Amino acid sequence: MPKQLLLLWAIICSGIITYFCLTDSSNLPAVANIPNIDKILHFCFHFGFTISWILFFKKELKGKAPDDYKAYLISFIFSVFFGITIEILQSVFTTTRAADVRDILANTIGATIGLFTAIALKKQIDRI
């Protein structure tokens, strides 16, 4: 798969997360009345975010990095810092959202599980 397509996919995923996290919450569709559903969504967003960026960075760094796991580390750190940045932006630029440490925790757990899932699926990812 061309790295430009993987980059486009990772950017689209990042844009979707940014949109849903920074949009006025009254403009978003109602989600099922499940306790902590927002934490589950944060987990899922960063799980997908991390894997999307791993796919891109694996292709981008192929043959350039002596350690194959550099793409995994970059993607994980990027996901965690992206999640923290979004939380800060929510508190600064929105009126219907607030920064929440539990959201950062859900983001980090999603990124961590995404990282370990990608490592477990390394052989399949290497074929992409």
Side-chain angles (χ1 to χ4, degrees), residues 52-127:
S52 296
W53 284 103
I54 285 171
L55 292 172
F56 167 70
F57 283 122
K58 287 272 295 180
K59 188 71 83 168
E60 176 66 19
L61 297 173
K62 190 171 192 154
K64 298 177 187 174
D67 183 0
D68 188 44
Y69 286 97
K70 189 172 185 177
Y72 295 89
L73 182 61
I74 291 169
S75 301
F76 174 77
I77 292 170
F78 183 35
S79 182
V80 171
F81 280 108
F82 182 79
I84 292 169
T85 302
I86 289 290
E87 290 302 312
I88 292 168
L89 292 174
Q90 283 180 341
S91 68
V92 173
F93 293 113
T94 69
T95 57
T96 60
R97 306 250 183 184
D100 185 349
V101 173
R102 293 172 298 159
D103 287 346
I104 293 171
L105 181 60
N107 297 344
T108 304
I109 293 169
T112 302
I113 300 299
L115 173 70
F116 287 118
T117 300
I119 290 170
L121 298 174
K122 184 180 179 319
K123 287 182 183 178
Q124 291 82 357
I125 288 174
D126 286 345
R127 286 189 233 142

